[in-house]
Amino acid sequence: MSTKPSYLNFNKVAYAWLPDVDYRLHPEQYRVGKGEQGVLICEPYKSEIGQFWRFKTPEIAAESSTKIYALFLDYLQKEEFAGADMARKYLQMGFTRARRYANYKGGKKYDPQQDYQQLERGTGDPEKARAAAIFYEKWQQAENLLLYKTQKINWKKAKG
């Protein structure tokens, strides 16, 4: 398969999340977006949550996802939706990145030396599949929490 990864055509100017914005001070600038968008940019949440994001083993993934889920709940209780949504994104990213490492050796899906040809699937680490399942469970728990759903609907109506 020769489909190139989408990040090669990334348009930084059109991206809704900015690295120089403090989203706690300016939550009105936060956008929910799709999937994990903005997760590695939005401060101070990136620093607060990212330090706990790990998936090397199922045990580490369990500890990591539990801590991130606790932050998620804390942000919701404080009605700090941007932080809660970022924590939800880190849970989702724990799942997707661990799955990438489960599917592809070293987590590398494309070969930049071969015009970004997709590498062979099924060569990854089976332990990462267990780590991914742990993150998936916490991510779904977060997504399905009524308080989160309500805040997300209200946020999208008010701010986008």
Side-chain angles (χ1 to χ4, degrees), residues 94-120:
F95 166 69
T96 59
R97 294 311 180 280
R99 281 301 324 164
R100 170 75 63 91
Y101 279 83
N103 292 334
Y104 300 97
K105 184 178 180 181
K108 297 191 185 325
K109 186 174 180 178
Y110 301 101
D111 184 354
Q113 305 298 318
Q114 298 291 321
D115 196 32
Y116 291 92
Q117 188 85 10
Q118 189 167 334
L119 296 169
E120 183 183 352

Side-chain angles (χ1 to χ4, degrees), residues 7-54:
Y7 58 78
L8 292 177
N9 297 320
F10 180 70
N11 183 351
K12 195 173 181 179
V13 176
Y15 201 55
W17 298 269
L18 304 170
D20 57 344
V21 172
D22 181 322
Y23 287 92
R24 179 170 285 129
L25 294 177
H26 299 285
E28 72 282 356
Q29 293 188 36
Y30 182 79
R31 298 295 175 262
V32 174
K34 290 168 61 176
E36 304 156 16
Q37 289 179 323
V39 76
L40 298 175
I41 292 175
C42 295
E43 290 289 5
Y45 306 111
K46 171 189 164 185
S47 295
E48 291 174 5
I49 304 163
Q51 64 182 309
F52 302 109
W53 183 68
R54 304 283 181 274

Side-chain angles (χ1 to χ4, degrees), residues 79-140:
E79 294 188 7
E80 199 169 335
F81 178 76
D85 196 51
M86 285 288 293
R88 190 262 320 150
K89 289 179 182 197
Y90 268 95
L91 293 170
Q92 181 178 358
M93 191 167 68
F95 166 69
T96 59
R97 294 311 180 280
R99 281 301 324 164
R100 170 75 63 91
Y101 279 83
N103 292 334
Y104 300 97
K105 184 178 180 181
K108 297 191 185 325
K109 186 174 180 178
Y110 301 101
D111 184 354
Q113 305 298 318
Q114 298 291 321
D115 196 32
Y116 291 92
Q117 188 85 10
Q118 189 167 334
L119 296 169
E120 183 183 352
R121 189 181 170 108
T123 57
D125 180 356
E127 191 170 61
K128 297 295 187 291
R130 292 190 296 280
I134 291 165
F135 268 100
Y136 182 81
E137 185 178 316
K138 286 292 187 194
W139 168 37
Q140 293 307 299

